[in-house]
Coordinates of all heavy atoms in Angstrom, one line a residue:
L1395 N -107.0 30.2 -11.3 CA -107.4 31.5 -10.9 C -107.5 32.5 -12.0 O -108.1 33.5 -11.9 CB -106.2 32.1 -10.0 CG -106.2 31.6 -8.5 CD1 -104.8 31.9 -7.9 CD2 -107.3 32.1 -7.7
G1396 N -107.0 32.1 -13.2 CA -107.2 32.9 -14.4 C -105.9 33.4 -15.0 O -105.9 34.2 -15.9
C1397 N -104.7 33.0 -14.5 CA -103.5 33.5 -15.1 C -103.4 33.1 -16.6 O -103.7 31.9 -16.9 CB -102.3 32.8 -14.4 SG -101.9 33.5 -12.7
D1398 N -103.0 34.0 -17.4 CA -102.9 33.8 -18.8 C -101.6 33.0 -19.1 O -101.6 32.1 -20.1 CB -102.8 35.1 -19.6 CG -104.0 35.9 -19.4 OD1 -105.1 35.6 -20.0 OD2 -104.0 36.9 -18.6
V1399 N -100.6 33.2 -18.3 CA -99.4 32.4 -18.4 C -98.9 32.0 -17.0 O -99.0 32.8 -16.1 CB -98.2 33.2 -19.1 CG1 -96.9 32.5 -19.1 CG2 -98.7 33.7 -20.5
V1400 N -98.6 30.8 -16.8 CA -98.1 30.3 -15.5 C -96.6 29.8 -15.7 O -96.4 29.0 -16.6 CB -98.9 29.1 -15.0 CG1 -98.4 28.7 -13.6 CG2 -100.4 29.6 -14.8
I1401 N -95.7 30.3 -14.8 CA -94.3 29.9 -14.9 C -94.0 29.2 -13.5 O -94.2 29.8 -12.5 CB -93.4 31.1 -15.1 CG1 -93.8 31.8 -16.4 CG2 -92.0 30.7 -15.1 CD1 -93.1 33.2 -16.5
D1402 N -93.5 27.9 -13.6 CA -93.0 27.2 -12.4 C -91.5 27.5 -12.3 O -90.7 27.0 -13.0 CB -93.3 25.7 -12.7 CG -92.9 24.9 -11.4 OD1 -92.3 25.5 -10.5 OD2 -93.3 23.7 -11.3
R1403 N -91.2 28.3 -11.2 CA -89.9 28.7 -11.0 C -88.9 27.5 -10.7 O -87.7 27.7 -10.8 CB -89.8 29.8 -9.9 CG -90.3 29.3 -8.6 CD -90.2 30.4 -7.5 NE -90.9 30.0 -6.3 CZ -90.4 29.2 -5.4 NH1 -89.2 28.6 -5.5 NH2 -91.1 28.9 -4.2
R1404 N -89.5 26.4 -10.3 CA -88.7 25.3 -9.9 C -88.2 24.5 -11.1 O -87.2 23.8 -11.0 CB -89.5 24.3 -9.0 CG -89.8 24.9 -7.6 CD -90.5 24.0 -6.7 NE -90.8 24.5 -5.4 CZ -91.6 23.9 -4.5 NH1 -92.1 22.8 -4.7 NH2 -91.8 24.6 -3.4
S1405 N -88.9 24.6 -12.2 CA -88.6 23.8 -13.4 C -88.3 24.7 -14.7 O -87.9 24.2 -15.7 CB -89.7 22.8 -13.7 OG -90.9 23.4 -14.0
E1406 N -88.6 26.0 -14.5 CA -88.4 26.9 -15.7 C -87.5 28.1 -15.4 O -87.4 28.5 -14.2 CB -89.8 27.4 -16.2 CG -90.8 26.4 -16.6 CD -92.1 27.0 -17.0 OE1 -92.2 27.6 -18.1 OE2 -93.1 26.9 -16.2
D1407 N -86.9 28.6 -16.4 CA -86.1 29.9 -16.3 C -87.1 31.0 -16.3 O -87.7 31.3 -17.3 CB -85.1 29.9 -17.4 CG -84.3 31.2 -17.4 OD1 -84.7 32.2 -16.9 OD2 -83.1 31.1 -17.8
V1408 N -87.3 31.6 -15.1 CA -88.4 32.7 -15.0 C -88.1 33.8 -16.0 O -89.0 34.3 -16.7 CB -88.5 33.2 -13.6 CG1 -89.5 34.4 -13.5 CG2 -89.0 32.1 -12.7
I1409 N -86.9 34.3 -16.0 CA -86.5 35.5 -16.8 C -86.8 35.2 -18.3 O -87.4 35.9 -19.1 CB -85.1 35.9 -16.6 CG1 -84.9 36.3 -15.1 CG2 -84.7 37.0 -17.5 CD1 -83.5 36.5 -14.7
A1410 N -86.3 34.0 -18.8 CA -86.5 33.6 -20.2 C -88.0 33.5 -20.5 O -88.5 33.9 -21.6 CB -85.7 32.4 -20.5
A1411 N -88.7 32.9 -19.6 CA -90.1 32.6 -19.8 C -91.0 33.9 -19.9 O -91.9 34.0 -20.7 CB -90.7 31.7 -18.7
V1412 N -90.6 34.9 -19.0 CA -91.3 36.1 -19.1 C -91.0 36.9 -20.4 O -91.9 37.4 -21.0 CB -91.0 37.0 -17.9 CG1 -91.5 38.4 -18.0 CG2 -91.4 36.4 -16.6
K1413 N -89.8 36.9 -20.8 CA -89.4 37.5 -22.0 C -90.1 36.9 -23.3 O -90.6 37.6 -24.2 CB -87.9 37.6 -22.2 CG -87.2 38.4 -21.2 CD -85.7 38.5 -21.4 CE -85.0 39.5 -20.5 NZ -83.5 39.6 -20.6
E1414 N -90.2 35.6 -23.2 CA -90.9 34.9 -24.3 C -92.4 35.2 -24.3 O -93.0 35.5 -25.4 CB -90.8 33.4 -24.1 CG -91.4 32.6 -25.3 CD -91.3 31.1 -25.1 OE1 -90.6 30.6 -24.1 OE2 -91.9 30.3 -25.9
A1415 N -93.0 35.3 -23.1 CA -94.4 35.6 -23.0 C -94.8 37.0 -23.4 O -96.0 37.3 -23.8 CB -95.0 35.3 -21.6
T1416 N -93.8 37.9 -23.3 CA -94.1 39.3 -23.6 C -93.4 39.8 -24.9 O -93.3 41.0 -25.1 CB -93.6 40.2 -22.4 OG1 -92.2 40.0 -22.2 CG2 -94.4 39.8 -21.1
G1417 N -92.9 38.9 -25.7 CA -92.2 39.3 -26.9 C -90.9 40.1 -26.6 O -90.5 41.0 -27.4
G1418 N -90.3 39.8 -25.5 CA -89.1 40.5 -25.1 C -89.2 41.8 -24.4 O -88.3 42.5 -23.9
R1419 N -90.5 42.3 -24.3 CA -90.8 43.6 -23.7 C -90.7 43.6 -22.2 O -90.2 44.6 -21.6 CB -92.1 44.1 -24.2 CG -92.5 45.5 -23.7 CD -93.8 46.0 -24.3 NE -94.1 47.3 -23.8 CZ -94.7 47.6 -22.6 NH1 -95.0 46.6 -21.8 NH2 -94.9 48.9 -22.3

């Protein structure tokens, strides 16, 4: 669909992955 970053909530820590993708912002 065009997502720049995809996070699988079943196998990844969503909070940590979002912070990594956004430089903590």
Side-chain angles (χ1 to χ4, degrees):
L1395 283 166
C1397 286
D1398 299 283
V1399 177
V1400 179
I1401 301 170
D1402 185 348
R1403 59 179 172 80
R1404 294 181 181 174
S1405 60
E1406 300 178 73
D1407 182 325
V1408 173
I1409 297 169
V1412 172
K1413 290 183 176 179
E1414 180 181 356
T1416 61
R1419 183 175 181 277

